[in-house]
Amino acid sequence: MAILYDKSGQRITLHTRTTTYQMGIGPYGHLLHYYYGKRAEGDFSACLSYRDRGFAGNPYDAGNDRTYSLDILPQEFPCYGNGDYRTTSFRLKQENGVYGCDLRVKEVRVEAGLYTIPELPTVYAGTKEAEGAETLSVILEDAAANVEVTLRYGVLPELDVILRANTVRNIGKHEIVVEKMDSASVDMLHGDFEMIHFSGRYGTERLMQRTRLGEGRFTVGSLRGESSHQHNPFAMLCAAGAGEDHGLVMAAGLLYSGNFTISAELDQMGQTRFALGVSDEMFAWPLAAGESFTTPQAVLCIGEGFASVTHRFHDLVNHHIVREKQPGALRPILLNSWEGCYFDFDGEKIIALAEEAAELGMDLLVMDDGWFGKRDDDCSGLGDWKANEKKLGMPLKELGRRIHEKGVKFGIWIEPEMVNEDSDLYRAHPDYAFVIPGRKPIRSRYQLCLDFSRKEVVDCIADRIISEFRDVPLDYIKMDMNRSVHDVFTHAPEWADRQNVGRTLYRYVLGVYAFIERLHEAFPDVLIEGCSGGGGRFDLGMLYYTPQIWLSDNTDAIERLQLQYGSSFVYPVSTIGAHVSAVPNHQTGRVTPLVTRAVTAMAGTFGYELDPARLSAEEKTMIRKQIQRVKQFWNLTHDGLYDRLSAPEGEWNPADGTHDPDYMAWQYTARDRSEALASVVFIKTHCNAPTLYLKWKELDPDATYRLHLEDQNRELPEAWQLPEELPAMTGAVLMEMGMPLPYQPGEYNSLLIYAEKAKDGQG
Ligand code: DGJ
């Protein structure tokens, strides 16, 4: 049993394989939080302390007892109005403007299996490691405020995760308004914590940031209508100084792709409250009698060190979030037309690309932006989802057929949520776009957002796209979104005269999910890749609908090391869209060896984004080998354990006296430790440099591993070429001392090292 309800002790304990979460019902019916940490038996209620703290409100039921205050006690679902002045997770407004509520436990229920939430993505139990999945529902009520709240805790014991979501229901006769409702909140009684989050900008997403918490509140989030390039709905609260293998780490992610907030507050008593949910800014959800509202789902996980949390999230995403017809199957290695042609192509050019792709051993040709409507640049055409046969020189169906004839699959780009003012759709339905009447809208990339909170708008776009693709031999869709949402105004009849930005933006996200579900229903065998100008909507929610997402429009192999590093904390290799592009790189002008571009892209779904006609014969030979190698190592890279072997900011670097590493490295290891693959990319070079050591992880310490160099920069002078076989070493030596890395002159070289357990007596 993962969930234990001790009625006499009024205690509820959730056990996973290595963690324990405990809460209890206080003497007056409040739901208090007792513990979340390593697996432990016992009654943690004994750890709460009761003292009169002064200026701390006491519930009326406590009589003259000044030691019982919800401003001090740890809580499961802190709400405004019960005397807690810290960050609260729930704020309710009555019809007459009165705020606040005071929730008390009414019922506790334990059921087998996991719960789902209508219209929203949720973690599913699946088959792998699903044994023992259970759901706890704690029902709270404040009859005076006419409200009932159900807290849900799904437990996947083998994965060490707890799945939180909350539902509020109006049990009175009058309208109430929910102004804030988090998905999860965890109080830590004491500790010195850092919050780790992943921030960035367009072209530079998910850089790891560490912030030591001081008294007060630290908040990150998005108000852009999408999860955003700037912040990611995933963060970790960790013991100060925690590293890959040490220090308590609590990770939390939201299965939601819109506005969100993640906050950590260190209070006056040194307690820390970590909470996440839909952003409360401009949020106000009215509930008529009997109506309810449910938050998106949050995933909580605790581990020792970052690596343990990463391993769990990777398994969770691969086996319990992403929905694939053939789980784990090799994803198609693609050639995308964007950086090769941008808007400048016709059907014959696309067919020529397909021919080259097939010849190089790729599986899929993706025709990116520019195939529809009047779309020779980004100023017009969005919304007109009809192939431009004049530009293509043939119908879409024929193009698909001819691409298939070349021996590769066919993929197409769409951007369904957007419209250009210069489009037939906008001319016919200006009210479909977010524009505030009487105002000129804020433009971004010359486009406006469609009101996907309205079902008729979602249906209109879905109908058009589905009918356009109906007879086309299509295998893949890239679904893009190239601006943040603004000028939120809905013409939905029931809301037109009482605008509600938060509600509209929430419904917008649900509209996006509903749209993708329609695509899945219409084209069950088509693979859909998510994208938002690169990684502007790279989150756990989108991964439920699109198993892979384009990581970033930045294809520079060296810059990508940092983006992939940050993303790797939660998102597995199978979800990360990564391509080899041409040099000089289109975003940075940097020139990197082809081998390094491939080593970097191998930490993702792998593909190319260049014009093969411009490649030399030697480069083509290398690409053919790279593709074979990606296929050969697919199981290892996509289902093995992923470990970061270097940190972008970390240990002191003796070579130049900085804390910037000379190289970035990561490792994929088979679950049975029989083989592993390490990727090393050198970022800096020095004269007479100290030897660099690569410390491997997860190997069998007692086994001997044969080390084979899979790839290196063959453009280096003969003298620097390395033998393919390196001296064999035991797992213990590789992990404890580390392998001395051969010196490679110049910047941006890389090594791909395969370690294979030697059979007894060999090596
Ligand atoms: C942004 C995407 O991230 C690119 O890959 C490309 O598809 C362009 N949009 C096309 O407009």
Side-chain angles (χ1 to χ4, degrees), residues 338 368-369 413 445 478 480 482 531 533-534 550 553 609:
W338 184 241
D368 209 283
D369 196 354
W413 176 97
R445 208 194 188 199
K478 173 176 172 187
D480 205 346
N482 282 303
C531 175
W550 181 224
D553 273 1
E609 187 156 340

Side-chain angles (χ1 to χ4, degrees), residues 315-363:
D315 283 348
L316 181 82
V317 171
N318 275 334
H319 305 291
H320 303 270
I321 291 182
V322 157
R323 296 173 297 167
E324 285 183 290
K325 275 216 143 164
Q326 291 167 295
L330 180 71
R331 297 275 174 75
I333 292 176
L334 61 83
L335 176 63
N336 182 295
S337 68
W338 184 241
E339 286 197 16
C341 320
Y342 295 103
F343 291 106
D344 186 17
F345 61 83
D346 58 15
E348 294 302 336
K349 172 73 189 171
I350 295 293
I351 293 165
L353 287 180
E355 190 169 353
E356 295 266 20
E359 211 258 315
L360 291 169
M362 297 181 208
D363 307 308

Side-chain angles (χ1 to χ4, degrees), residues 95-117:
E95 210 180 23
N96 60 2
V98 167
Y99 276 98
C101 75
D102 185 4
L103 296 165
R104 311 290 173 109
V105 177
K106 195 169 91 172
E107 198 187 330
V108 175
R109 277 205 303 257
V110 179
E111 284 150 300
L114 297 182
Y115 61 92
T116 55
I117 306 173

